[in-house]
């Protein structure tokens, strides 16, 4: 089934994020070699106060937007390129998202909720969750972002399961909150291939990939939610590699037909 689908990728990074390799041009050239028809470049969203690391400084945003705009023009007729960002949602930054989307050089935002507000206050790093009850806070913050209409889809919605804790009622509820929100707001979810690149590891619930998390996706498959495959590439060779093929094959096994069309 997956071989009949158009080759696309809307989740990819470049060297500006400080933890990927190669300029945007290298990813576009690889996309052409791999036969992609559409490529989204969505580097990590910088905030004006540079509050997070592992992403471009805010001072580079104009250069990034100009670089992708010029690349789009150069590749016109060969590869359709979209310029965007992957970033977190915080309600106090609504004006910032609106200003970004009003700039026609920024065509989309992906929601990558790497940090989220805890119900008891403060920000939580999604990679450093110790108490599963915080997974519910994560899902609620994702649903709040869905309501805004600012974001195109949720990148790695099951990222929280990179943490090593046993499945419990809070994990179950976190999945249900997120899926119910996606259904309510007709909001697509991403099946993120980069989790497979992290290899299988031992967790409290056995050996598995950090994500995509099977328990979560077994719930998704029973719901009518649009799904996109995202490479989440950090090297040009990952734009459409064996791991991306594996992601399409896994979805096929579950009976999920992913979307490929875009804006």
């Amino acid at each position: 089934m997956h071989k009949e689908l158009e080759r696309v990728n809307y989740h990819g990074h470049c060297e500006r994020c400080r933890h990927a390799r190669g300029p945007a041009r290298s990813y576009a050239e690889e996309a052409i070699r791999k036969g992609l028809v559409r490529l989204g470049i969505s580097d990590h969203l910088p905030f004006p106060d540079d509050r997070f690391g592992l992403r471009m400084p805010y001072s580079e945003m104009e250069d990034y937007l100009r670089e992708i705009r010029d690349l789009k023009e150069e590749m016109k007729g060969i590869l359709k390129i979209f310029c965007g960002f992957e970033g977190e949602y915080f309600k106090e930054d609504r004006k910032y998202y609106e200003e970004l989307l009003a700039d026609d050089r920024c065509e989309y935002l992906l929601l990558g909720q790497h940090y989220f507000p805890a119900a008891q206050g403060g920000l939580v790093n999604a990679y450093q969750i110790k108490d599963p009850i915080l997974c519910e806070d994560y899902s609620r913050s994702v649903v709040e972002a869905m309501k805004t209409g600012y974001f195109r889809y949720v990148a790695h919605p099951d990222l929280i399961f990179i943490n090593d804790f046993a499945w419990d009622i809070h994990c179950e509820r976190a999945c249900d909150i997120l899926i119910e929100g996606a259904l309510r707001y007709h909001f697509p979810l991403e099946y993120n291939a980069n989790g497979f690149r992290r290899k299988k590891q031992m967790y409290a619930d056995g050996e598995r990939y950090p994500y995509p998390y099977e328990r979560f996706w077994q719930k998704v498959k029973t719901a009518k939610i649009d799904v996109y495959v995202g490479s989440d590439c950090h090297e040009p060779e990952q734009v459409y590699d064996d791991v991306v093929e594996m992601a399409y094959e896994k979805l096929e096994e579950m009976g999920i037909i992913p979307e490929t069309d875009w804006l």
Side-chain angles (χ1 to χ4, degrees), residues 17-194:
C17 75
R18 307 307 197 261
H19 62 284
R21 179 177 63 82
R25 171 181 295 279
S26 297
Y27 292 81
E29 291 172 346
E30 177 68 8
I32 292 169
R33 279 194 291 272
K34 293 293 177 65
L36 272 68
V37 295
R38 288 184 293 281
L39 174 70
I41 299 173
S42 54
D43 225 351
H44 291 280
L45 177 66
F47 288 86
D49 57 4
D50 284 323
R51 70 189 70 163
F52 302 124
L54 288 178
R55 62 189 69 195
M56 76 176 82
Y58 181 72
S59 60
E60 288 187 18
M61 177 177 280
E62 278 297 314
D63 289 341
Y64 171 77
L65 291 170
R66 188 180 307 113
E67 176 186 8
I68 308 305
R69 180 196 61 195
D70 292 346
L71 191 60
K72 281 167 59 75
E73 185 63 29
E74 181 182 340
M75 300 291 182
K76 186 179 292 184
I78 304 171
L79 174 68
K80 179 67 175 176
I81 296 176
F82 295 94
C83 178
F85 294 95
E86 178 202 6
E88 298 80 4
Y89 171 70
F90 306 107
K91 62 182 180 181
E92 61 269 24
D93 292 302
R94 291 175 67 102
K95 183 179 178 182
Y96 179 47
Y97 306 122
E98 290 169 2
E99 289 173 348
L100 271 174
L101 293 169
D103 185 332
D104 60 8
R105 295 174 299 173
C106 175
E107 297 170 284
Y108 71 103
L109 300 176
L110 299 181
L111 179 67
Q113 200 75 334
H114 307 95
Y115 299 89
F116 62 93
Q120 300 303 315
L123 282 184
V124 178
N125 185 329
Y127 290 90
Q128 297 175 5
I129 298 174
K130 302 300 182 185
D131 187 343
I133 196 170
L134 290 171
C135 293
E136 294 186 43
D137 293 345
Y138 164 83
S139 292
R140 291 189 186 97
S141 74
V142 169
V143 174
E144 283 300 309
M146 291 177 181
K147 294 178 184 179
T148 67
Y150 297 151
F151 300 91
R152 186 64 182 81
Y153 70 50
V154 184
H156 41 60
D158 47 348
L159 176 68
I160 49 175
F161 296 109
I162 198 171
N163 297 284
D164 189 12
F165 41 67
W167 177 270
D168 66 4
I169 189 63
H170 300 298
C171 299
E172 186 93 38
R173 184 60 187 144
C175 292
D176 291 342
I177 289 169
L178 203 154
I179 291 169
E180 288 165 9
L183 283 168
R184 184 179 310 118
Y185 299 107
H186 307 287
F187 208 90
L189 304 178
E190 177 196 67
Y191 195 74
N192 188 284
N194 203 38

Side-chain angles (χ1 to χ4, degrees), residues 204-224:
D205 54 354
E207 186 180 34
R208 61 174 175 83
Y209 293 103
Y211 56 92
Y213 190 53
E214 187 172 355
R215 283 180 185 258
F216 176 77
W217 288 98
Q218 287 299 319
K219 285 176 172 285
V220 171
K221 82 172 188 178
T222 64
K224 294 182 179 179

